[in-house]
């Protein structure tokens, strides 16, 4: 069974260095990598000041950066997408288009935060599948942010990482125009290998806890299936869900749904808004329950929580789709301990907790089910819990 490979870090760093040299006829000063992520549980809870539990993937974006003395910014990709040329002073909301927005947006946001990034040449290349709900855009933002800071001579530190999380979120929300909640940038910059990252969005910037994920001791692996149904966070569905959550919080008289109690939800008159809020409130409870279950290696309980999370997203939050539902139900019937859709929804990926010996069989069963349903062939990857963004060359 072929899986989407993360690639070897030093080989990919060398490859992006070479692509930089071919594109710009010069050598990069820094190469940094930042991972994509798969969320274990806690979906659409981040912008409701809730809890999330993502894992950094071994798949990452690599950014090669060199400073320039003339204020010019050039952005190119080793994968696809047209290059961008502008100046560092002219970056900002509405000033960059297409995929380069994420890069230009980060350079702008770093300068807004007082980090003196000069003009730069940037080349990016990566192995995070694009548009698969695995945070390829956050990986892009975070790799560029870390490399640009190294070029600007700013030393890496926990405080810097917090600033980079904030800058990458600003790039995504204010420049790229995706009203996302911050989970993806936080895990890309703060994850620890072998762990999931519990993030509490109601407790200030540094509210993260490493949660041990003893998958191999449990004989388990995380199988991610990209349905190849493209999801885009700048489309209306994500923003509409966010608006419903804000409407629910306003109707309940609380600052965010984190403050809502399950027993209050019945007072919401609008049936759709009530279901959206029910998802968020119960999903936050499920994140806490998952952390407890992981602490006791109660994998069957984690599987049960995955199932409840998926049903909640399918029925109450309405962000699943036939391909995701089929990937999840097939994974479970083929032997997964649990499965659910992951990420923003409306396409993208599912994540399954699978006994190691059953991983190929589960992936094959999903392929067969997709072919039988007339769906596009999915692709799979193995999510070995990996570490945060780092300078690698
Ligand atoms: C996307 C967003 C995140 C989060 C998830 C849903 O990945 O970028 O901020 O809201 O969707 O959990």
């Amino acid at each position: 069974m072929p899986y989407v490979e993360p690639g070897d870090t030093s080989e990919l760093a060398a490859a992006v260095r070479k692509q930089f040299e071919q594109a710009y006829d010069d050598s990069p000063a820094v190469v940094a990598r930042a991972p994509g992520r798969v969320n274990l549980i806690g979906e659409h809870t981040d912008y409701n000041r809730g809890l999330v539990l993502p894992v950094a993937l071994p798949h990452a974006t690599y950014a090669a950066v060199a400073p320039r003395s003339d204020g010019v910014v050039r952005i190119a990709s080793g994968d696809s997408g047209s290059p961008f040329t502008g100046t560092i002073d002219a970056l900002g909301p509405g000033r960059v288009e297409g995929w380069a927005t994420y890069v230009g947006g980060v350079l702008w946001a770093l300068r807004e935060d007082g980090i003196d990034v000069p003009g730069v040449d940037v080349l990016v290349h990566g192995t995070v599948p694009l548009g698969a709900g695995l945070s390829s855009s956050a990986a892009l933002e975070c790799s560029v942010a870390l490399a640009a800071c190294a070029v600007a001579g700013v030393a890496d530190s926990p405080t810097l990482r917090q600033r980079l999380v904030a800058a990458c979120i600003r790039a995504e929300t204010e420049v790229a125009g995706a009203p996302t909640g911050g989970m993806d940038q936080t895990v890309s910059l703060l994850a620890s290998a072998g762990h999931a990252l519990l993030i509490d969005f109601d407790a200030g910037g540094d509210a993260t806890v490493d949660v041990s994920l003893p998958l191999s001791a449990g004989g388990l692996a995380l199988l991610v299936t990209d349905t190849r149904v493209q999801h885009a966070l700048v489309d209306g569905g994500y923003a509409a869900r966010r608006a419903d959550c804000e409407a629910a919080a306003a109707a309940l008289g609380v600052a965010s749904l984190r403050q809502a109690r399950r027993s209050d939800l019945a007072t919401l008159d609008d049936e759709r808004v009530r279901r959206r809020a029910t998802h968020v409130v119960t999903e936050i409870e499920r994140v806490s329950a998952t952390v407890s279950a992981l602490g006791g290696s109660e994998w069957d309980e984690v599987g049960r929580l995955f199932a409840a999370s998926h049903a909640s997203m399918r029925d109450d939050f309405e962000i699943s789709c036939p391909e995701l539902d089929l990937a999840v139900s097939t994974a479970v019937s083929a032997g997964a301990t649990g499965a659910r859709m992951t990420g923003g929804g409306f396409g993208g990926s599912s994540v399954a907790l699978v006994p190691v010996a059953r991983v190929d069989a589960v992936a094959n069963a999903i392929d067969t089910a997709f072919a039988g349903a007339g769906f596009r062939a999915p692709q799979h990857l193995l999510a070995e819990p990996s570490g945060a963004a780092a300078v690698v060359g």
Side-chain angles (χ1 to χ4, degrees):
M1 164 58 61
Y3 295 95
V4 179
E5 292 297 332
D8 174 77
T9 295
S10 43
E11 279 172 22
L12 285 162
V16 74
R17 179 170 280 276
K18 196 161 173 198
Q19 289 171 345
F20 184 103
E21 286 163 357
Q22 281 162 357
Y24 298 122
D25 210 13
D26 193 4
S27 296
V30 177
V31 179
R33 79 186 283 283
R37 65 96 190 94
V38 60
N39 191 18
L40 286 188
I41 197 158
E43 229 64 80
H44 287 257
T45 48
D46 55 358
Y47 56 80
N48 289 298
R49 292 204 210 162
L51 303 171
V52 297
L53 192 64
V55 167
L57 294 174
H59 305 69
T61 299
Y62 292 72
V65 177
R68 299 177 58 99
S69 53
D70 57 2
V72 167
V73 170
R74 295 190 294 179
I75 302 169
S77 165
D79 306 308
S80 62
S82 31
F84 165 86
T85 302
T87 61
I88 192 78
D89 291 332
L91 296 176
R95 301 293 192 85
V96 198
E97 291 195 335
W99 71 274
T101 331
Y102 295 97
V103 179
V106 165
L107 300 176
W108 167 80
L110 292 174
R111 281 164 62 96
E112 287 280 298
D113 187 34
I115 296 175
D116 195 14
V117 179
V120 280
D121 286 334
V122 181
L123 189 130
V124 296
H125 168 61
T127 59
V128 186
L130 304 177
L134 301 173
S135 291
S136 56
S137 40
L140 174 58
E141 291 153 8
C142 298
S143 63
V144 169
L146 201 58
C149 282
V151 159
V154 184
D156 199 356
S157 69
T159 320
L160 180 72
R161 295 263 166 162
Q162 295 293 345
R163 289 171 73 187
L164 298 191
V165 168
C168 291
I169 293 173
R170 282 196 78 183
E172 176 134 347
T173 55
E174 294 180 41
V175 185
T180 54
M183 161 172 68
D184 311 339
Q185 296 79 6
T186 309
V187 66
S188 188
L189 284 159
L190 301 180
S192 294
H195 295 79
L197 189 70
L198 175 65
I199 311 171
D200 183 342
F201 283 90
D202 200 31
D206 50 3
T208 58
V209 177
D210 289 334
V211 175
S212 174
L213 208 54
L215 289 171
S216 36
L220 293 160
L222 288 174
L223 173 70
V224 174
T225 298
D226 168 14
T227 61
R228 313 285 289 281
V229 178
Q230 288 275 332
H231 96 140
L233 298 173
V234 286
D235 289 351
Y238 186 97
R241 295 304 178 282
R242 193 168 175 153
D244 280 347
C245 292
E246 283 161 12
L252 292 169
V254 290
S256 74
L257 286 180
R258 181 65 179 279
Q259 280 77 44
R261 283 170 309 191
R262 218 201 250 228
S263 53
D264 297 334
L265 298 175
T267 64
L268 290 167
D269 294 330
D270 185 311
E271 192 263 342
R272 188 191 70 225
V273 167
R274 186 166 65 243
R275 282 189 290 117
R276 305 293 190 249
T278 301
H279 164 71
V280 172
V281 171
T282 57
E283 184 80 348
I284 293 170
E285 292 170 1
R286 282 187 289 270
V287 177
S288 300
T290 301
V291 172
S292 303
L294 287 172
S297 294
E298 297 161 37
W299 297 108
D300 287 342
E301 174 65 2
V302 175
R304 198 192 64 72
L305 291 159
F306 274 25
S309 173
H310 187 77
S312 177
M313 291 187 284
R314 183 190 60 214
D315 303 336
D316 283 342
F317 219 61
E318 295 182 284
I319 54 171
S320 190
C321 63
E323 291 83 352
L324 284 168
D325 292 342
L326 186 62
V328 165
S329 61
T330 307
V332 173
S333 19
T337 306
R340 57 186 286 284
M341 60 143 281
T342 183
F346 310 103
S349 296
S350 63
V351 60
L353 189 61
V354 186
V356 171
R358 297 291 305 163
V359 168
D360 282 351
V362 169
N364 276 318
I366 296 173
D367 286 355
T368 304
F370 269 49
F375 295 157
R376 197 173 166 200
Q379 55 181 4
H380 308 279
L381 55 91
L382 295 171
E384 181 69 32
S386 301
V391 170
V392 291

